[in-house]
């Protein structure tokens, strides 16, 4: 999904809507800092008025960031991946994960209990998931009686990756038992 660009007409409408929303906030902020009533917001030193507007834009920017995170979280709750969020925002999957770390909910890690065994080439391997890290490991016995396991300290990112390594082990030891 590519991010569509807004048209010049849409940009003009957006600018007007943002300025219309900003003016009351800028007036209120200027009134609080200067002591002037809101209707006199534009009176005073031009630099002070401009800084009041800048302060209001900062408040709007913070709110837009908050609402953006809410939108990313909503998309994630409906099943969007970090890759899709990144594409919508025009950044990488990693950038989206960094920008909205809580947006995509990972499935609750399965307990470290083994799932269905992987049976291949006459051997069997069990895949397990670490409850704290969510990483995957494998251990198995090949058809030739050789026992194997993921290298010490190795945790695979996905169950499929662990299964691929276990499968390679089972295929490599598919011979007949001694």
């Amino acid at each position: 999904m590519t991010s569509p660009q807004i048209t010049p007409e849409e940009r003009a409408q957006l600018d007007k809507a943002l300025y219309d929303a900003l003016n009351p906030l800028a007036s209120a902020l200027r009134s609080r800092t200067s002591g002037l009533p809101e209707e006199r917001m534009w009176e005073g030193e031009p630099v002070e008025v401009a800084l009041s507007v800048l302060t209001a834009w900062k408040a709007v920017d913070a709110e837009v960031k908050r609402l953006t995170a809410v939108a990313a979280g909503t998309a994630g709750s409906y099943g969007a991946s970090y890759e899709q969020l990144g594409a919508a925002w025009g950044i990488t999957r990693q950038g989206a994960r960094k920008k909205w770390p809580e947006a995509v909910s990972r499935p609750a890690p399965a307990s470290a209990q083994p799932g269905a065994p992987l049976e291949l080439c006459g051997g069997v391997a069990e895949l397990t998931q670490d409850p704290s890290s969510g990483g995957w490991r494998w251990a198995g016995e090949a058809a030739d009686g050789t026992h194997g396991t993921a290298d010490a300290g190795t945790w695979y990112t996905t169950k499929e990756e662990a299964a691929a390594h276990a499968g390679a082990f089972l295929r490599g030891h598919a011979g007949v038992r001694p």
Side-chain angles (χ1 to χ4, degrees):
M1 176 177 156
T2 61
S3 294
Q5 298 298 316
I6 64 174
T7 66
E9 296 79 20
E10 291 167 331
R11 183 175 306 279
Q13 290 173 346
L14 179 61
D15 285 354
K16 180 182 181 330
L18 288 171
Y19 281 118
D20 288 348
L22 181 75
N23 281 334
L25 177 61
S27 295
L29 291 173
R30 174 87 174 126
S31 177
R32 283 198 297 272
T33 58
S34 70
L36 293 172
E38 288 184 31
E39 60 273 4
R40 295 182 55 203
M41 183 256 182
W42 298 107
E43 296 176 17
E45 294 296 317
V47 69
E48 294 300 322
V49 172
L51 289 172
S52 296
V53 170
L54 181 61
T55 301
W57 279 121
K58 182 179 187 303
V60 169
D61 182 56
E63 187 63 9
V64 166
K65 286 178 181 167
R66 184 186 72 78
L67 292 172
T68 300
V70 168
T74 300
S77 73
Y78 284 115
S81 67
Y82 278 114
E83 185 175 353
Q84 291 171 309
L85 293 175
W89 199 251
I91 58 178
T92 64
R93 173 185 54 82
Q94 295 88 345
R97 185 183 305 271
K98 185 175 179 181
K99 186 170 194 61
W100 305 297
E102 303 298 320
V104 174
S105 59
R106 290 181 144 189
S111 66
Q113 298 176 7
L118 173 65
E119 297 179 19
L120 187 65
C121 301
V124 177
E126 297 284 336
L127 305 175
T128 57
Q129 187 176 30
D130 179 54
S132 60
S133 72
W136 288 87
R137 294 184 52 84
W138 65 270
E141 181 179 356
D144 67 0
T146 304
H147 290 271
T149 184
D151 293 334
T154 300
W155 290 93
Y156 300 102
T157 307
T158 65
K159 182 178 183 179
E160 293 77 14
E161 184 180 10
H165 285 272
F169 165 76
L170 294 174
R171 276 190 307 275
H173 295 276
V176 179
R177 286 194 160 162

